[in-house]
Amino acid sequence: MLLCVGSFFGSTSEAEWAEYRTGAKKAPIPTYVLGANDQETVSYFPDVSGCELAENITYLGRRGLYSGTSGLQIAYLSGTEARDEPAPAYSFSAKDVAELKTSLLSTPNFKGVDILLTSPWPRDVGAFGNSAGEIDTKKCGSNLVSDLAASLKPRYHFAGLEKAYYERLPYRNHTVLQETPQHVSRFIALADVGNTSKKKYLYAFSIVPMSSMDPAELVKQPQDVTENPYRKSRKEAQKTKAPLCAEEEPACQFFFDLNKHQGKKRPSDGKEGGNSQPKQAKKPPQPTGPCWFCLASPEVEKHLVVSIGTHCYLALAKGGLLPDHVLILPIGHYQSVVDLSAEVVEEVTKYKAALKEFFRSKGKRYVLFERNYRSQHLQLQVVPVPLDHCTSEDIKEIFITQAQEQQIELLEIPEHSDITQV
């Protein structure tokens, strides 16, 4: 079958279309098209609920679900996003999207659809993904289409109105470590047919319907899978309903696992035995060789030390990313945050609070990270960023993009969870 997104009728369609309508010409394979995107072509689509326009050419309708005999499910939404109410005949409104979502999401065990067809691109589809070239995905496309794609979880989503070819990296439909794995989605935008720049306007593929697939096969995650681009815009939509001031933004925690356990719990060695008493202060292990960060060590560069507490100290970074990049370090030799005793953790928390207050007075907030890889002594890196430029979401997006470029698996730790449990 042939599926068409974007504007099916061009400016010179009248005479050519008459040949198909009268049967002088016939489409070689079953062809399914979306409705009008402008007032001029509305007259070509006589029935809003869909109809056969000519032999082998079917207008799917304003919105709905087309189910093939094989079990293939194709959701579709015709037209462009309406600017005003009531929506013109060639546009869809928030009500159309809500009704389409409700009708599909109410089906028992709804996992998603095989294919979603829309004419406009979804807004922000490029977030966390590869570049869309000259198309700015933050400014083009429809927020309603993004919302629809986020809810319907199509395995393939096609669009065509920007007249550019863009195949986005596949993205996840679940939150790692918090939700059971789901299938990935692929967004493919196609250029206009026969364009002079020879941009790709045809995408050929074969697909086994979701309903016939082995569940384990369906949820396999490809190597280049990315975060979901629409999570960000959904969160922002919630934020506008209840605005958070920049200072009140919740903290987010992330870690990456070099063993790639894919978020499974590590096997318990039976030592825990359900005992949840606070950790006893233990003597820190002694370094195997000279350590640059043990305060008592001759190797420590004391001119960089800013403040010394009972269990921790604060120092400027030797090769800081910025002049005010600082480190929080334990005085004793601990390798990681998970090894710290309760009183050291308490003092680290005090230093973090003091730095938060200090940087806020300078119009900044900090990003804090621990790089624990072949390192002997715990170093908490504290890097300030401008308060008004960077939200948690921006910072998260930068980390995710960088991790993907460096092929590092990033896993998000559920909010309010203790890193020692992970």
Side-chain angles (χ1 to χ4, degrees):
M1 71 202 298
L2 174 66
L3 303 170
C4 299
V5 290
S7 299
F8 183 67
F9 293 99
S11 53
T12 57
S13 299
E14 204 54 63
E16 193 186 358
W17 179 236
E19 295 184 85
Y20 284 92
R21 230 184 22 243
T22 56
K25 278 188 179 175
K26 178 187 159 185
I29 55 170
T31 301
Y32 295 87
V33 309
L34 292 178
N37 292 310
D38 52 47
Q39 190 56 53
E40 289 74 70
T41 51
V42 168
S43 57
Y44 285 107
F45 302 97
D47 185 351
V48 290
S49 55
C51 56
E52 190 177 69
L53 300 178
E55 192 181 351
N56 258 359
I57 300 178
T58 305
Y59 163 47
L60 286 164
R62 190 182 175 97
R63 59 163 198 269
L65 181 74
Y66 172 87
S67 297
T69 47
S70 63
L72 189 74
Q73 293 204 309
I74 303 171
Y76 55 88
L77 180 67
S78 286
T80 55
E81 184 175 325
R83 298 257 176 271
D84 313 292
E85 289 286 343
Y90 55 86
S91 292
F92 56 83
S93 63
K95 187 166 168 266
D96 287 310
V97 170
E99 284 173 11
L100 180 54
K101 274 167 54 176
T102 308
S103 65
L104 290 173
L105 299 177
S106 58
T107 35
N109 304 326
F110 176 78
K111 288 192 182 74
V113 295
D114 292 300
I115 297 171
L116 172 62
L117 306 177
T118 63
S119 287
W121 287 28
R123 175 70 57 90
D124 244 351
V125 66
F128 307 125
N130 47 323
S131 161
E134 69 275 16
I135 306 287
D136 183 352
T137 59
K138 287 182 177 167
K139 293 186 180 147
C140 86
S142 156
N143 284 320
L144 289 176
V145 170
S146 302
D147 183 35
L148 186 66
S151 301
L152 298 193
K153 301 172 188 168
R155 290 163 65 202
Y156 286 86
H157 177 186
F158 295 96
L161 271 192
E162 297 301 326
K163 300 188 174 180
Y165 171 68
Y166 172 49
E167 185 166 352
R168 191 202 184 281
L169 290 171
Y171 62 83
R172 287 190 194 97
N173 282 301
H174 63 279
T175 306
V176 177
L177 285 178
Q178 292 181 45
E179 297 169 331
T180 51
Q182 297 181 43
H183 61 272
V184 300
S185 292
R186 289 174 163 82
F187 172 74
I188 295 137
L190 296 168
D192 43 334
V193 175
N195 66 84
T196 49
S197 329
K198 298 207 162 119
K199 291 180 193 156
K200 192 169 173 179
Y201 59 83
L202 191 66
Y203 185 91
F205 70 114
S206 59
I207 183 169
V208 176
M210 199 188 283
S211 52
S212 314
M213 282 183 77
D214 171 61
E217 194 61 35
L218 179 66
V219 302
K220 270 191 179 165
Q221 305 291 302
Q223 279 291 307
D224 54 355
V225 67
T226 79
E227 276 284 296
N228 190 310
Y230 311 125
R231 285 252 152 86
K232 185 181 171 191
S233 41
R234 281 182 145 188
K235 276 184 187 166
E236 275 164 10
Q238 286 162 2
K239 257 188 224 167
T240 49
K241 285 173 197 163
L244 264 184
C245 82
E247 296 175 4
E248 289 168 7
E249 248 196 277
C252 308
Q253 305 184 65
F254 313 96
F255 78 97
F256 59 77
D257 185 352
L258 291 156
N259 304 324
K260 285 232 182 161
H261 281 302
Q262 293 293 7
K264 292 192 185 79
K265 280 191 175 166
R266 294 202 175 88
S268 168
D269 51 12
K271 285 179 193 161
E272 286 157 27
N275 182 352
S276 62
Q277 284 174 356
K279 277 193 174 179
Q280 296 305 307
K282 55 181 180 186
K283 198 174 187 312
Q286 293 316 301
T288 48
C291 176
W292 292 356
F293 300 107
C294 283
L295 198 54
S297 157
E299 271 77 20
V300 79
E301 306 221 12
K302 295 190 169 60
H303 68 284
L304 294 174
V305 174
V306 178
S307 154
I308 301 174
T310 316
H311 306 286
C312 303
Y313 71 101
L314 199 65
L316 286 170
K318 194 174 176 184
L321 297 173
L322 296 156
D324 46 2
H325 173 177
V326 291
L327 310 178
I328 303 173
L329 305 121
I331 292 170
H333 188 79
Y334 293 93
Q335 190 181 347
S336 161
V337 161
V338 293
D339 295 332
L340 297 180
S341 58
E343 66 267 38
V344 186
V345 171
E346 192 183 337
E347 198 168 287
V348 166
T349 309
K350 281 182 184 170
Y351 265 121
K352 281 159 70 173
L355 284 169
K356 184 178 181 179
E357 206 171 307
F358 167 71
F359 284 129
R360 189 179 293 171
S361 74
K362 305 282 180 204
K364 298 174 185 178
R365 62 196 303 192
Y366 65 67
V367 179
L368 184 138
F369 63 94
E370 171 188 359
R371 176 182 181 275
N372 195 299
Y373 177 59
R374 294 181 182 160
S375 49
Q376 283 194 324
H377 193 112
L378 164 66
Q379 306 148 54
L380 288 174
Q381 310 279 344
V382 185
V383 182
V385 294
L387 191 63
D388 52 349
H389 288 190
C390 297
T391 65
S392 296
E393 281 300 319
D394 295 330
I395 295 164
K396 177 179 173 180
E397 188 175 339
I398 292 162
F399 267 83
I400 288 166
T401 308
Q402 284 299 316
Q404 279 158 3
E405 282 178 19
Q406 309 298 335
Q407 292 175 327
I408 292 167
E409 173 81 355
L410 268 185
L411 305 174
E412 187 166 349
I413 299 174
E415 214 176 332
H416 311 305
S417 65
D418 181 354
I419 197 165
T420 52
Q421 296 166 349
V422 184

